[in-house]
Structure formats: C-alpha cells, structure tokens
Amino acid sequence: MTKPKIIMDVDTGTDDAVALTLAMLGGEVDLLGVTTVNGNLELKLTTDNTLRVVDFCGKGEEIKVYSGCEYPLVSTLSPTSAQSLRPIPKREGVKVPFIMHADHLPLPETSLKAQEKRAVVWLIETVMASQPGTVTIVALGPLTNIAAAMRAEPAFASRLQEIVLMGGGDRIGNASAAAEFNIWADPEAAEIVLQSGCKISLIPLDATHEAEVSAAQAAEIEAIGSKEAKFVAEVIRERIGGYSERDPELAAKQTAPLHDALALCYFLHPECITKKIETVCHVDVSGGVCYGRTMVDRRANLVMEEPNCTFALGADREWFLGWLMGILKKAAQG
Ligand code: RIB
Ligand code: CA
C-alpha cells in the first residue's frame, strides 16, 4: 500500500520533536522533507533542533531539512523574532508561556546541516512537481512558510491534498488570553492560509488539552527502553514541569499536552478526534487585544460564508496514547 506523502513544517520545539520522531519511526508516511520556521525559538535554533531529531532517529541520509522564514510576515509580537518591536512585558515571576526552557532539545549535537535551498522555494518546487491532490502539509508551527509559498505561487494551495495544522483555540488561548501560539506568532500568515481555498483541518487547543499525557504515562513510555522512548518520556516530563509552573489546573493533574503529535495522529487516524465541526474560521488581524485569535463561527444557520475548515473540538486521549506507545514499542522491537 502506498503511504501518504507529507511535508512537515515545524518550529522544533519539544512537541514538534515528538511528532517528528513518531513520523520517522512509525513508517506510516512518506515524509518528503521537513521545513523549519521561526516560532518556539528563533529560526537557527528550530532548525538545529529539527536536525538533531532527524539525526537521533537515524534518518539523516533520507530526510532533508529546509530552513524557512526567519520572521513573521507582518506581526512584531513574537519575542523569538529578532524583528520584535514589542517584546511582551514580563511580570516578575510570571513565565512567558511558550518559551522553551532551553534553546536545545536534550539530544546530542549533530553535524547535519540544513539544505542550501530555502524552505519556501523547496515547498513550491516540490508541491508544484507533485500529482495534484497527493501531498499534505502537516504544519506544526507559525504558518509563515506556507503563506509565503501561497503568495509566491498562486497555484500552490490548489495543488495540495490538505493542510493539517496544529493551531488555534475556540475557547482556549495560550500565547494570550485570546490566542493560541502558532496563530498568534504570525496571524496574517494564518489568515492567508485559512482563506486559501485549500482543504484545511485545525487541531486546536480545545482538542490537544483533551489528550494530555501524565507523568505515570511518561514512566510507561520510558519503560519501553529504547533511546527514542526515553527521549519522548524526558520531553513529556519537561513539558509537565513547564506547564505546572504556569497553569494551576495542569499542575494539579501533573499532565501536559503534546499538541503537535496529536495533529500528526489526526492526519493518519482521524478517529482520534472525538468532535469536529465544518466551520468558518477567520483570524483576528486587527491588532487589538484579540490579535491572533481564531474566530470560529458556530451559529449553524446564520453563517454567511461557506465553511473553510474542519475544526477539532475534542480528542480521545487513550486512542492517542495507544498510537504513540504502539509506534515506540514496535520501533524498539526493531
Ligand atoms: O500552541 C502550541 C503550539 O505552539 C505547538 O505547535 C508548540 O510547538 C508551539 O509551536
Ligand atoms: Ca510547534
């Protein structure tokens, strides 16, 4: 059976790292390449972290990494952008929510390098050379690269099969009270992608927080014994620690979401999502306090536009964990 062809666009990032690991170990996808973007960290670090994951999984020969956009299209909100004009004022003792604890993942350094070709150029060439409707982009960071490709090549969106993206929130924000990080970090790019006419599925915070992983489950994963399983367990523990410092509810539960891994899981196994709606979704690009919010229109008979996306609202935690552990166990058995 032919495997689905995907491109992963990432801002690695601990949860991006788990998604990449599962994609490379799981053997369920034909991973055409990986593109990186400014997001969790500045671009050179998201690229280096991505290369480390590829090397760690033993895929350095096979999987090429392309470095993408260094700055958002318009917004200057993100403190990971060197162009940031409005760094978030920090309150003493309050953590900026999306900044990783460390610049580098807990993985060995790598001699792998990103390709010379820039991500946006490679994306356009690869997608335009593909059979129409055969390539899906699994987008796990801010949507700058994808929007830039859409603007540079008007046929880009219609050539794709689908874009599955981790981003947004109907009732939850994490970068601000209103907005989820990936959308907030480049709201204009997200709005371009959402209005592109491409088939789009969003896996937002509403879904990812229903698939949180616990410290006990991290221990189960660690017990699988392989280096990859130990890495995933370490990442989960780090995330639980990070979330505990800033979210009393998660601190009490000792759990953390693995946002990006759920988006990959949905692409392969849509049944991991328990509730989803076909809806109209826009991103607030007006620059006010809701800048970067995904505005989901849930008024069944009042919506004036055609739905432009599938928006997930719930997830099956056990299903997701079973999938994740299944991949790590199988890979550990060789
Ligand atoms: O809001 C969660 C998202 O922001 C994830 O993709 C995480 O990696 C960060 O990019
Ligand atoms: Ca990410």
Side-chain angles (χ1 to χ4, degrees):
M1 209 176 81
T2 56
K3 296 176 186 175
K5 293 182 196 309
I6 68 166
I7 293 167
M8 293 177 78
D9 187 69
V10 294
D11 64 330
T12 317
T14 48
D15 55 339
D16 304 75
V18 175
L20 279 167
T21 301
L22 295 171
M24 287 187 282
L25 294 189
E28 293 179 278
V29 292
D30 179 1
L31 182 54
L32 302 180
V34 181
T35 52
T36 62
V37 69
N38 166 66
N40 277 309
L41 298 159
E42 60 188 277
L43 181 71
K44 67 173 192 287
L45 294 172
T46 62
T47 304
D48 178 70
N49 280 329
T50 303
L51 290 163
R52 286 186 190 212
V53 178
V54 171
D55 202 2
F56 181 70
C57 291
K59 300 288 182 186
E61 289 291 309
E62 232 171 280
I63 309 291
K64 303 298 173 213
V65 175
Y66 300 82
S67 190
C69 293
E70 209 171 351
Y71 307 120
L73 295 186
V74 177
S75 171
T76 53
L77 281 172
S78 174
T80 64
S81 160
Q83 281 184 335
S84 180
L85 300 178
R86 288 186 285 168
I88 307 226
K90 285 190 203 154
R91 255 199 295 148
E92 217 41 54
V94 174
K95 303 259 176 212
V96 177
F98 40 81
I99 302 293
M100 284 171 57
H101 277 189
D103 284 348
H104 296 286
L105 294 169
L107 290 177
E109 286 181 24
T110 177
S111 57
L112 293 180
K113 300 270 176 263
Q115 301 298 295
E116 287 285 314
K117 193 171 278 184
R118 300 300 302 196
V120 176
V121 176
W122 178 79
L123 278 167
I124 293 172
E125 286 177 2
T126 306
V127 170
M128 295 313 290
S130 67
Q131 288 298 316
T134 58
V135 174
T136 292
I137 296 179
V138 178
L140 306 179
L143 291 155
T144 321
N145 290 337
I146 319 298
M150 285 175 172
R151 282 296 192 251
E153 171 50 72
F156 184 82
S158 62
R159 198 87 180 187
L160 288 169
Q161 179 175 45
E162 186 178 4
I163 297 172
V164 174
L165 67 95
M166 190 284 131
D170 181 31
R171 301 205 168 132
I172 317 178
N174 62 0
S176 74
E180 181 279 330
F181 176 75
N182 286 342
I183 309 296
W184 175 92
D186 196 339
E188 287 76 12
E191 179 65 354
I192 289 170
V193 170
L194 273 168
Q195 309 318 323
S196 67
C198 184
K199 181 174 183 228
I200 293 173
S201 293
L202 282 96
I203 306 301
L205 297 174
D206 312 74
T208 62
H209 278 276
E210 287 202 359
E212 290 163 7
V213 185
S214 69
Q217 279 147 350
E220 270 181 64
I221 291 169
E222 186 169 38
I224 293 170
S226 64
K227 69 179 177 32
E228 293 86 358
K230 286 180 184 160
F231 169 62
V232 170
E234 185 176 353
V235 159
I236 293 169
R237 284 200 197 98
E238 190 199 309
R239 290 178 67 80
I240 292 173
Y243 275 94
S244 294
E245 287 175 21
R246 57 187 187 249
D247 186 327
E249 208 180 300
L250 295 193
K253 290 195 285 180
Q254 284 296 291
T255 59
L258 283 174
H259 310 285
D260 294 341
L262 183 68
L264 175 70
C265 184
Y266 169 76
F267 168 65
L268 291 164
H269 306 285
E271 60 269 40
C272 72
I273 291 299
T274 51
K275 186 175 179 198
K276 57 187 181 186
I277 51 173
E278 305 298 311
T279 189
V280 175
C281 180
H282 284 277
V283 176
D284 183 341
V285 289
S286 59
V289 290
C290 290
Y291 196 19
R293 177 174 175 78
T294 43
M295 304 300 298
V296 180
D297 198 336
R298 298 177 71 171
R299 303 164 304 159
N301 298 316
L302 293 171
V303 178
M304 307 303 274
E305 300 167 50
E306 287 297 325
N308 61 346
C309 66
T310 302
F311 196 97
L313 288 167
D316 184 334
R317 181 168 174 262
E318 299 313 320
W319 206 107
F320 169 63
L321 271 162
W323 171 76
L324 181 153
M325 291 188 63
I327 290 176
L328 293 171
K329 278 183 187 160
K330 198 163 158 208
Q333 286 154 8

